[in-house]
PDB file of all heavy atoms in Angstrom:
ATOM      1  N   GLU A  14      21.314 -18.489 -82.244  1.00 95.00           N
ATOM      2  CA  GLU A  14      20.244 -17.636 -81.903  1.00 95.00           C
ATOM      3  C   GLU A  14      20.833 -16.332 -81.243  1.00 95.00           C
ATOM      4  O   GLU A  14      21.817 -16.298 -80.577  1.00 95.00           O
ATOM      5  CB  GLU A  14      19.395 -18.328 -80.819  1.00 95.00           C
ATOM      6  CG  GLU A  14      18.152 -17.620 -80.486  1.00 95.00           C
ATOM      7  CD  GLU A  14      17.296 -18.447 -79.423  1.00 95.00           C
ATOM      8  OE1 GLU A  14      16.650 -19.308 -79.930  1.00 95.00           O
ATOM      9  OE2 GLU A  14      17.402 -18.017 -78.191  1.00 95.00           O
ATOM     10  N   LEU A  15      20.108 -15.231 -81.528  1.00 94.00           N
ATOM     11  CA  LEU A  15      20.547 -13.935 -81.016  1.00 94.00           C
ATOM     12  C   LEU A  15      19.235 -13.207 -80.732  1.00 94.00           C
ATOM     13  O   LEU A  15      18.132 -13.502 -81.284  1.00 94.00           O
ATOM     14  CB  LEU A  15      21.554 -13.192 -81.862  1.00 94.00           C
ATOM     15  CG  LEU A  15      21.139 -12.836 -83.289  1.00 94.00           C
ATOM     16  CD1 LEU A  15      20.250 -11.721 -83.424  1.00 94.00           C
ATOM     17  CD2 LEU A  15      22.461 -12.559 -84.063  1.00 94.00           C
ATOM     18  N   ARG A  16      19.380 -12.081 -80.038  1.00 94.00           N
ATOM     19  CA  ARG A  16      18.238 -11.234 -79.740  1.00 94.00           C
ATOM     20  C   ARG A  16      18.088 -10.231 -80.831  1.00 94.00           C
ATOM     21  O   ARG A  16      19.016  -9.337 -80.935  1.00 94.00           O
ATOM     22  CB  ARG A  16      18.382 -10.578 -78.304  1.00 94.00           C
ATOM     23  CG  ARG A  16      18.344 -11.609 -77.237  1.00 94.00           C
ATOM     24  CD  ARG A  16      18.430 -10.846 -75.933  1.00 94.00           C
ATOM     25  NE  ARG A  16      18.340 -11.869 -74.900  1.00 94.00           N
ATOM     26  CZ  ARG A  16      18.514 -11.528 -73.601  1.00 94.00           C
ATOM     27  NH1 ARG A  16      18.683 -10.341 -73.267  1.00 94.00           N
ATOM     28  NH2 ARG A  16      18.444 -12.523 -72.706  1.00 94.00           N
ATOM     29  N   PHE A  17      17.010 -10.232 -81.572  1.00 96.00           N
ATOM     30  CA  PHE A  17      16.826  -9.275 -82.711  1.00 96.00           C
ATOM     31  C   PHE A  17      16.863  -7.812 -82.234  1.00 96.00           C
ATOM     32  O   PHE A  17      17.250  -7.002 -82.850  1.00 96.00           O
ATOM     33  CB  PHE A  17      15.623  -9.578 -83.473  1.00 96.00           C
ATOM     34  CG  PHE A  17      15.804 -10.749 -84.383  1.00 96.00           C
ATOM     35  CD1 PHE A  17      14.677 -11.255 -85.065  1.00 96.00           C
ATOM     36  CD2 PHE A  17      16.951 -11.427 -84.699  1.00 96.00           C
ATOM     37  CE1 PHE A  17      14.699 -12.377 -85.934  1.00 96.00           C
ATOM     38  CE2 PHE A  17      17.092 -12.463 -85.528  1.00 96.00           C
ATOM     39  CZ  PHE A  17      15.976 -12.903 -86.114  1.00 96.00           C
ATOM     40  N   VAL A  18      16.294  -7.698 -80.956  1.00 94.00           N
ATOM     41  CA  VAL A  18      16.242  -6.333 -80.409  1.00 94.00           C
ATOM     42  C   VAL A  18      17.563  -5.650 -80.193  1.00 94.00           C
ATOM     43  O   VAL A  18      17.786  -4.456 -80.412  1.00 94.00           O
ATOM     44  CB  VAL A  18      15.327  -6.281 -79.123  1.00 94.00           C
ATOM     45  CG1 VAL A  18      16.099  -6.992 -77.986  1.00 94.00           C
ATOM     46  CG2 VAL A  18      14.965  -4.883 -78.747  1.00 94.00           C
ATOM     47  N   LYS A  19      18.561  -6.499 -79.859  1.00 95.00           N
ATOM     48  CA  LYS A  19      19.891  -6.005 -79.723  1.00 95.00           C
ATOM     49  C   LYS A  19      20.470  -5.546 -81.054  1.00 95.00           C
ATOM     50  O   LYS A  19      21.166  -4.542 -81.180  1.00 95.00           O
ATOM     51  CB  LYS A  19      20.896  -7.094 -79.127  1.00 95.00           C
ATOM     52  CG  LYS A  19      20.521  -7.605 -77.855  1.00 95.00           C
ATOM     53  CD  LYS A  19      21.071  -6.673 -76.763  1.00 95.00           C
ATOM     54  CE  LYS A  19      20.868  -7.227 -75.414  1.00 95.00           C
ATOM     55  NZ  LYS A  19      21.198  -6.344 -74.319  1.00 95.00           N
ATOM     56  N   VAL A  20      20.151  -6.274 -82.119  1.00 95.00           N
ATOM     57  CA  VAL A  20      20.633  -5.800 -83.497  1.00 95.00           C
ATOM     58  C   VAL A  20      19.912  -4.543 -83.941  1.00 95.00           C
ATOM     59  O   VAL A  20      20.598  -3.639 -84.395  1.00 95.00           O
ATOM     60  CB  VAL A  20      20.346  -7.030 -84.504  1.00 95.00           C
ATOM     61  CG1 VAL A  20      20.685  -6.474 -85.911  1.00 95.00           C
ATOM     62  CG2 VAL A  20      21.102  -8.276 -84.120  1.00 95.00           C
ATOM     63  N   THR A  21      18.685  -4.446 -83.674  1.00 93.00           N
ATOM     64  CA  THR A  21      17.937  -3.249 -84.032  1.00 93.00           C
ATOM     65  C   THR A  21      18.415  -2.053 -83.328  1.00 93.00           C
ATOM     66  O   THR A  21      18.681  -0.983 -83.921  1.00 93.00           O
ATOM     67  CB  THR A  21      16.417  -3.376 -83.899  1.00 93.00           C
ATOM     68  OG1 THR A  21      16.109  -3.661 -82.686  1.00 93.00           O
ATOM     69  CG2 THR A  21      15.857  -4.408 -84.860  1.00 93.00           C
ATOM     70  N   GLN A  22      18.727  -2.203 -82.025  1.00 93.00           N
ATOM     71  CA  GLN A  22      19.218  -1.143 -81.266  1.00 93.00           C
ATOM     72  C   GLN A  22      20.586  -0.693 -81.725  1.00 93.00           C
ATOM     73  O   GLN A  22      20.830   0.510 -81.841  1.00 93.00           O
ATOM     74  CB  GLN A  22      19.309  -1.445 -79.728  1.00 93.00           C
ATOM     75  CG  GLN A  22      17.978  -1.600 -79.097  1.00 93.00           C
ATOM     76  CD  GLN A  22      18.027  -2.170 -77.611  1.00 93.00           C
ATOM     77  OE1 GLN A  22      18.964  -2.837 -77.289  1.00 93.00           O
ATOM     78  NE2 GLN A  22      17.116  -1.893 -76.779  1.00 93.00           N
ATOM     79  N   ALA A  23      21.439  -1.604 -81.995  1.00 94.00           N
ATOM     80  CA  ALA A  23      22.814  -1.298 -82.445  1.00 94.00           C
ATOM     81  C   ALA A  23      22.807  -0.583 -83.728  1.00 94.00           C
ATOM     82  O   ALA A  23      23.486   0.431 -83.931  1.00 94.00           O
ATOM     83  CB  ALA A  23      23.680  -2.524 -82.501  1.00 94.00           C
ATOM     84  N   VAL A  24      22.017  -1.118 -84.667  1.00 92.00           N
ATOM     85  CA  VAL A  24      21.980  -0.494 -86.008  1.00 92.00           C
ATOM     86  C   VAL A  24      21.322   0.871 -86.024  1.00 92.00           C
ATOM     87  O   VAL A  24      21.828   1.861 -86.630  1.00 92.00           O
ATOM     88  CB  VAL A  24      21.334  -1.409 -87.032  1.00 92.00           C
ATOM     89  CG1 VAL A  24      21.235  -0.721 -88.421  1.00 92.00           C
ATOM     90  CG2 VAL A  24      22.122  -2.726 -87.169  1.00 92.00           C
ATOM     91  N   HIS A  25      20.203   1.007 -85.349  1.00 85.00           N
ATOM     92  CA  HIS A  25      19.529   2.308 -85.308  1.00 85.00           C
ATOM     93  C   HIS A  25      20.398   3.322 -84.547  1.00 85.00           C
ATOM     94  O   HIS A  25      20.409   4.493 -85.005  1.00 85.00           O
ATOM     95  CB  HIS A  25      18.184   2.118 -84.688  1.00 85.00           C
ATOM     96  CG  HIS A  25      17.266   1.222 -85.481  1.00 85.00           C
ATOM     97  ND1 HIS A  25      16.098   0.712 -84.961  1.00 85.00           N
ATOM     98  CD2 HIS A  25      17.360   0.849 -86.762  1.00 85.00           C
ATOM     99  CE1 HIS A  25      15.507   0.034 -85.931  1.00 85.00           C
ATOM    100  NE2 HIS A  25      16.229   0.064 -87.039  1.00 85.00           N
ATOM    101  N   SER A  26      21.127   2.959 -83.616  1.00 87.00           N
ATOM    102  CA  SER A  26      22.074   3.863 -82.878  1.00 87.00           C
ATOM    103  C   SER A  26      23.148   4.340 -83.845  1.00 87.00           C
ATOM    104  O   SER A  26      23.463   5.549 -83.908  1.00 87.00           O
ATOM    105  CB  SER A  26      22.701   3.260 -81.676  1.00 87.00           C
ATOM    106  OG  SER A  26      21.800   2.938 -80.711  1.00 87.00           O
ATOM    107  N   LEU A  27      23.635   3.412 -84.584  1.00 83.00           N
ATOM    108  CA  LEU A  27      24.615   3.761 -85.646  1.00 83.00           C
ATOM    109  C   LEU A  27      24.102   4.726 -86.701  1.00 83.00           C
ATOM    110  O   LEU A  27      24.730   5.707 -87.039  1.00 83.00           O
ATOM    111  CB  LEU A  27      25.169   2.459 -86.281  1.00 83.00           C
ATOM    112  CG  LEU A  27      26.273   2.537 -87.264  1.00 83.00           C
ATOM    113  CD1 LEU A  27      27.550   3.099 -86.636  1.00 83.00           C
ATOM    114  CD2 LEU A  27      26.573   1.153 -87.862  1.00 83.00           C
ATOM    115  N   ILE A  28      22.884   4.460 -87.198  1.00 78.00           N
ATOM    116  CA  ILE A  28      22.312   5.254 -88.179  1.00 78.00           C
ATOM    117  C   ILE A  28      22.038   6.697 -87.613  1.00 78.00           C
ATOM    118  O   ILE A  28      22.359   7.683 -88.212  1.00 78.00           O
ATOM    119  CB  ILE A  28      20.891   4.720 -88.656  1.00 78.00           C
ATOM    120  CG1 ILE A  28      21.284   3.433 -89.501  1.00 78.00           C
ATOM    121  CG2 ILE A  28      20.082   5.728 -89.409  1.00 78.00           C
ATOM    122  CD1 ILE A  28      19.946   2.594 -89.799  1.00 78.00           C
ATOM    123  N   VAL A  29      21.470   6.742 -86.427  1.00 76.00           N
ATOM    124  CA  VAL A  29      21.267   8.077 -85.742  1.00 76.00           C
ATOM    125  C   VAL A  29      22.601   8.886 -85.545  1.00 76.00           C
ATOM    126  O   VAL A  29      22.633  10.048 -85.880  1.00 76.00           O
ATOM    127  CB  VAL A  29      20.449   8.021 -84.471  1.00 76.00           C
ATOM    128  CG1 VAL A  29      20.417   9.255 -83.737  1.00 76.00           C
ATOM    129  CG2 VAL A  29      19.055   7.473 -84.797  1.00 76.00           C
ATOM    130  N   GLU A  30      23.609   8.155 -85.080  1.00 73.00           N
ATOM    131  CA  GLU A  30      24.893   8.819 -84.899  1.00 73.00           C
ATOM    132  C   GLU A  30      25.512   9.406 -86.193  1.00 73.00           C
ATOM    133  O   GLU A  30      25.998  10.485 -86.268  1.00 73.00           O
ATOM    134  CB  GLU A  30      25.858   7.764 -84.252  1.00 73.00           C
ATOM    135  CG  GLU A  30      25.625   7.459 -82.813  1.00 73.00           C
ATOM    136  CD  GLU A  30      26.452   6.325 -82.310  1.00 73.00           C
ATOM    137  OE1 GLU A  30      27.497   6.005 -82.966  1.00 73.00           O
ATOM    138  OE2 GLU A  30      26.173   5.790 -81.268  1.00 73.00           O
ATOM    139  N   GLU A  31      25.354   8.598 -87.303  1.00 70.00           N
ATOM    140  CA  GLU A  31      25.856   9.060 -88.625  1.00 70.00           C
ATOM    141  C   GLU A  31      25.009  10.235 -89.053  1.00 70.00           C
ATOM    142  O   GLU A  31      25.637  11.164 -89.634  1.00 70.00           O
ATOM    143  CB  GLU A  31      25.742   7.931 -89.645  1.00 70.00           C
ATOM    144  CG  GLU A  31      26.662   6.722 -89.472  1.00 70.00           C
ATOM    145  CD  GLU A  31      28.124   7.167 -89.564  1.00 70.00           C
ATOM    146  OE1 GLU A  31      28.379   8.091 -90.337  1.00 70.00           O
ATOM    147  OE2 GLU A  31      29.012   6.546 -88.935  1.00 70.00           O
ATOM    148  N   GLN A  32      23.675  10.266 -88.865  1.00 65.00           N
ATOM    149  CA  GLN A  32      22.874  11.355 -89.277  1.00 65.00           C
ATOM    150  C   GLN A  32      23.263  12.613 -88.424  1.00 65.00           C
ATOM    151  O   GLN A  32      23.370  13.704 -89.078  1.00 65.00           O
ATOM    152  CB  GLN A  32      21.383  11.059 -89.087  1.00 65.00           C
ATOM    153  CG  GLN A  32      20.917  10.066 -90.069  1.00 65.00           C
ATOM    154  CD  GLN A  32      19.526   9.569 -89.862  1.00 65.00           C
ATOM    155  OE1 GLN A  32      18.972   9.713 -88.766  1.00 65.00           O
ATOM    156  NE2 GLN A  32      18.994   8.956 -90.882  1.00 65.00           N
ATOM    157  N   ILE A  33      23.438  12.479 -87.176  1.00 66.00           N
ATOM    158  CA  ILE A  33      23.909  13.610 -86.357  1.00 66.00           C
ATOM    159  C   ILE A  33      25.200  14.174 -86.779  1.00 66.00           C
ATOM    160  O   ILE A  33      25.402  15.402 -86.851  1.00 66.00           O
ATOM    161  CB  ILE A  33      23.902  13.202 -84.811  1.00 66.00           C
ATOM    162  CG1 ILE A  33      22.479  13.099 -84.361  1.00 66.00           C
ATOM    163  CG2 ILE A  33      24.659  14.197 -83.995  1.00 66.00           C
ATOM    164  CD1 ILE A  33      22.326  12.426 -82.946  1.00 66.00           C
ATOM    165  N   SER A  34      26.195  13.254 -87.130  1.00 69.00           N
ATOM    166  CA  SER A  34      27.493  13.658 -87.579  1.00 69.00           C
ATOM    167  C   SER A  34      27.341  14.484 -88.937  1.00 69.00           C
ATOM    168  O   SER A  34      27.996  15.548 -89.019  1.00 69.00           O
ATOM    169  CB  SER A  34      28.356  12.424 -87.806  1.00 69.00           C
ATOM    170  OG  SER A  34      29.636  12.838 -88.319  1.00 69.00           O
ATOM    171  N   ALA A  35      26.493  13.999 -89.804  1.00 64.00           N
ATOM    172  CA  ALA A  35      26.341  14.726 -91.114  1.00 64.00           C
ATOM    173  C   ALA A  35      25.647  16.082 -90.867  1.00 64.00           C
ATOM    174  O   ALA A  35      26.010  17.041 -91.497  1.00 64.00           O
ATOM    175  CB  ALA A  35      25.484  13.834 -91.982  1.00 64.00           C
ATOM    176  N   LEU A  36      24.710  16.190 -89.894  1.00 69.00           N
ATOM    177  CA  LEU A  36      24.042  17.474 -89.577  1.00 69.00           C
ATOM    178  C   LEU A  36      24.999  18.411 -89.003  1.00 69.00           C
ATOM    179  O   LEU A  36      25.023  19.572 -89.285  1.00 69.00           O
ATOM    180  CB  LEU A  36      22.917  17.262 -88.647  1.00 69.00           C
ATOM    181  CG  LEU A  36      21.637  16.641 -89.230  1.00 69.00           C
ATOM    182  CD1 LEU A  36      20.638  16.289 -88.146  1.00 69.00           C
ATOM    183  CD2 LEU A  36      21.011  17.582 -90.276  1.00 69.00           C
ATOM    184  N   ARG A  37      25.963  17.879 -88.170  1.00 71.00           N
ATOM    185  CA  ARG A  37      26.978  18.778 -87.481  1.00 71.00           C
ATOM    186  C   ARG A  37      27.915  19.327 -88.614  1.00 71.00           C
ATOM    187  O   ARG A  37      28.274  20.530 -88.571  1.00 71.00           O
ATOM    188  CB  ARG A  37      27.750  18.012 -86.527  1.00 71.00           C
ATOM    189  CG  ARG A  37      26.995  17.903 -85.185  1.00 71.00           C
ATOM    190  CD  ARG A  37      27.830  17.214 -84.121  1.00 71.00           C
ATOM    191  NE  ARG A  37      27.009  17.109 -82.924  1.00 71.00           N
ATOM    192  CZ  ARG A  37      27.009  15.973 -82.134  1.00 71.00           C
ATOM    193  NH1 ARG A  37      27.781  14.900 -82.475  1.00 71.00           N
ATOM    194  NH2 ARG A  37      26.256  15.865 -81.114  1.00 71.00           N
ATOM    195  N   ALA A  38      28.311  18.440 -89.515  1.00 71.00           N
ATOM    196  CA  ALA A  38      29.198  18.969 -90.681  1.00 71.00           C
ATOM    197  C   ALA A  38      28.461  20.002 -91.522  1.00 71.00           C
ATOM    198  O   ALA A  38      29.057  20.930 -91.857  1.00 71.00           O
ATOM    199  CB  ALA A  38      29.688  17.750 -91.463  1.00 71.00           C
ATOM    200  N   SER A  39      27.166  19.791 -91.794  1.00 75.00           N
ATOM    201  CA  SER A  39      26.427  20.626 -92.580  1.00 75.00           C
ATOM    202  C   SER A  39      26.299  22.008 -91.864  1.00 75.00           C
ATOM    203  O   SER A  39      26.419  23.094 -92.441  1.00 75.00           O
ATOM    204  CB  SER A  39      25.110  20.060 -92.800  1.00 75.00           C
ATOM    205  OG  SER A  39      24.234  21.041 -93.563  1.00 75.00           O
ATOM    206  N   GLU A  40      26.032  21.943 -90.534  1.00 78.00           N
ATOM    207  CA  GLU A  40      25.865  23.171 -89.770  1.00 78.00           C
ATOM    208  C   GLU A  40      27.161  23.966 -89.732  1.00 78.00           C
ATOM    209  O   GLU A  40      27.137  25.154 -89.780  1.00 78.00           O
ATOM    210  CB  GLU A  40      25.343  22.816 -88.366  1.00 78.00           C
ATOM    211  CG  GLU A  40      24.729  23.999 -87.609  1.00 78.00           C
ATOM    212  CD  GLU A  40      25.711  24.458 -86.533  1.00 78.00           C
ATOM    213  OE1 GLU A  40      26.560  23.726 -86.057  1.00 78.00           O
ATOM    214  OE2 GLU A  40      25.593  25.633 -86.242  1.00 78.00           O
ATOM    215  N   SER A  41      28.285  23.277 -89.601  1.00 75.00           N
ATOM    216  CA  SER A  41      29.569  23.882 -89.540  1.00 75.00           C
ATOM    217  C   SER A  41      29.809  24.572 -90.858  1.00 75.00           C
ATOM    218  O   SER A  41      30.316  25.737 -90.925  1.00 75.00           O
ATOM    219  CB  SER A  41      30.612  22.801 -89.217  1.00 75.00           C
ATOM    220  OG  SER A  41      31.949  23.437 -89.290  1.00 75.00           O
ATOM    221  N   ALA A  42      29.652  23.922 -91.922  1.00 79.00           N
ATOM    222  CA  ALA A  42      29.736  24.509 -93.320  1.00 79.00           C
ATOM    223  C   ALA A  42      28.897  25.772 -93.416  1.00 79.00           C
ATOM    224  O   ALA A  42      29.351  26.854 -94.017  1.00 79.00           O
ATOM    225  CB  ALA A  42      29.390  23.554 -94.422  1.00 79.00           C
ATOM    226  N   HIS A  43      27.618  25.709 -92.913  1.00 78.00           N
ATOM    227  CA  HIS A  43      26.645  26.825 -93.017  1.00 78.00           C
ATOM    228  C   HIS A  43      27.202  28.010 -92.285  1.00 78.00           C
ATOM    229  O   HIS A  43      27.193  29.173 -92.669  1.00 78.00           O
ATOM    230  CB  HIS A  43      25.312  26.419 -92.451  1.00 78.00           C
ATOM    231  CG  HIS A  43      24.373  27.534 -92.507  1.00 78.00           C
ATOM    232  ND1 HIS A  43      23.843  28.057 -93.601  1.00 78.00           N
ATOM    233  CD2 HIS A  43      23.801  28.187 -91.363  1.00 78.00           C
ATOM    234  CE1 HIS A  43      22.975  29.071 -93.201  1.00 78.00           C
ATOM    235  NE2 HIS A  43      22.993  29.141 -91.858  1.00 78.00           N
ATOM    236  N   ARG A  44      27.786  27.756 -91.068  1.00 82.00           N
ATOM    237  CA  ARG A  44      28.382  28.837 -90.221  1.00 82.00           C
ATOM    238  C   ARG A  44      29.506  29.599 -90.901  1.00 82.00           C
ATOM    239  O   ARG A  44      29.602  30.722 -90.939  1.00 82.00           O
ATOM    240  CB  ARG A  44      28.786  28.271 -88.859  1.00 82.00           C
ATOM    241  CG  ARG A  44      27.794  28.245 -87.793  1.00 82.00           C
ATOM    242  CD  ARG A  44      28.333  28.139 -86.442  1.00 82.00           C
ATOM    243  NE  ARG A  44      29.480  27.146 -86.313  1.00 82.00           N
ATOM    244  CZ  ARG A  44      29.422  25.864 -86.009  1.00 82.00           C
ATOM    245  NH1 ARG A  44      28.112  25.367 -85.793  1.00 82.00           N
ATOM    246  NH2 ARG A  44      30.451  25.142 -85.884  1.00 82.00           N
ATOM    247  N   VAL A  45      30.382  28.729 -91.495  1.00 80.00           N
ATOM    248  CA  VAL A  45      31.585  29.286 -92.234  1.00 80.00           C
ATOM    249  C   VAL A  45      31.087  30.107 -93.375  1.00 80.00           C
ATOM    250  O   VAL A  45      31.625  31.228 -93.577  1.00 80.00           O
ATOM    251  CB  VAL A  45      32.539  28.170 -92.627  1.00 80.00           C
ATOM    252  CG1 VAL A  45      33.631  28.716 -93.554  1.00 80.00           C
ATOM    253  CG2 VAL A  45      33.202  27.548 -91.372  1.00 80.00           C
ATOM    254  N   PHE A  46      30.243  29.540 -94.172  1.00 82.00           N
ATOM    255  CA  PHE A  46      29.657  30.257 -95.310  1.00 82.00           C
ATOM    256  C   PHE A  46      29.075  31.576 -94.936  1.00 82.00           C
ATOM    257  O   PHE A  46      29.308  32.668 -95.505  1.00 82.00           O
ATOM    258  CB  PHE A  46      28.691  29.362 -96.086  1.00 82.00           C
ATOM    259  CG  PHE A  46      28.041  30.026 -97.263  1.00 82.00           C
ATOM    260  CD1 PHE A  46      28.763  30.236 -98.468  1.00 82.00           C
ATOM    261  CD2 PHE A  46      26.775  30.508 -97.139  1.00 82.00           C
ATOM    262  CE1 PHE A  46      28.121  30.799 -99.575  1.00 82.00           C
ATOM    263  CE2 PHE A  46      26.151  31.109 -98.253  1.00 82.00           C
ATOM    264  CZ  PHE A  46      26.855  31.360 -99.424  1.00 82.00           C
ATOM    265  N   THR A  47      28.246  31.547 -93.926  1.00 80.00           N
ATOM    266  CA  THR A  47      27.539  32.775 -93.463  1.00 80.00           C
ATOM    267  C   THR A  47      28.558  33.807 -93.019  1.00 80.00           C
ATOM    268  O   THR A  47      28.495  34.979 -93.330  1.00 80.00           O
ATOM    269  CB  THR A  47      26.508  32.447 -92.240  1.00 80.00           C
ATOM    270  OG1 THR A  47      25.633  31.474 -92.809  1.00 80.00           O
ATOM    271  CG2 THR A  47      25.911  33.649 -91.813  1.00 80.00           C
ATOM    272  N   ARG A  48      29.589  33.406 -92.206  1.00 79.00           N
ATOM    273  CA  ARG A  48      30.632  34.310 -91.685  1.00 79.00           C
ATOM    274  C   ARG A  48      31.318  34.962 -92.859  1.00 79.00           C
ATOM    275  O   ARG A  48      31.593  36.145 -92.858  1.00 79.00           O
ATOM    276  CB  ARG A  48      31.603  33.545 -90.814  1.00 79.00           C
ATOM    277  CG  ARG A  48      32.719  34.521 -90.266  1.00 79.00           C
ATOM    278  CD  ARG A  48      33.627  33.769 -89.283  1.00 79.00           C
ATOM    279  NE  ARG A  48      34.229  32.548 -89.972  1.00 79.00           N
ATOM    280  CZ  ARG A  48      35.246  32.485 -90.784  1.00 79.00           C
ATOM    281  NH1 ARG A  48      35.769  33.576 -91.249  1.00 79.00           N
ATOM    282  NH2 ARG A  48      35.682  31.338 -91.180  1.00 79.00           N
TER     283      ARG A  48
END
């Protein structure tokens, strides 16, 4: 038995972190391209 809420929190945090990382990479590429 495990707490499903712990799983959802861990996975959703991972998903959000990955999305933020992808957004940062995109924004960095945009800055370089614009410069």
Side-chain angles (χ1 to χ4, degrees):
E14 185 177 282
L15 57 78
R16 293 183 180 175
F17 284 172
V18 69
K19 298 276 189 188
V20 176
T21 59
Q22 287 173 336
V24 176
H25 294 165
S26 292
L27 184 62
I28 290 168
V29 169
E30 288 171 16
E31 291 294 331
Q32 290 174 343
I33 289 171
S34 178
L36 285 172
R37 285 187 180 132
S39 174
E40 197 256 334
S41 176
H43 176 71
R44 273 197 321 267
V45 170
F46 177 76
T47 301
R48 182 179 50 78

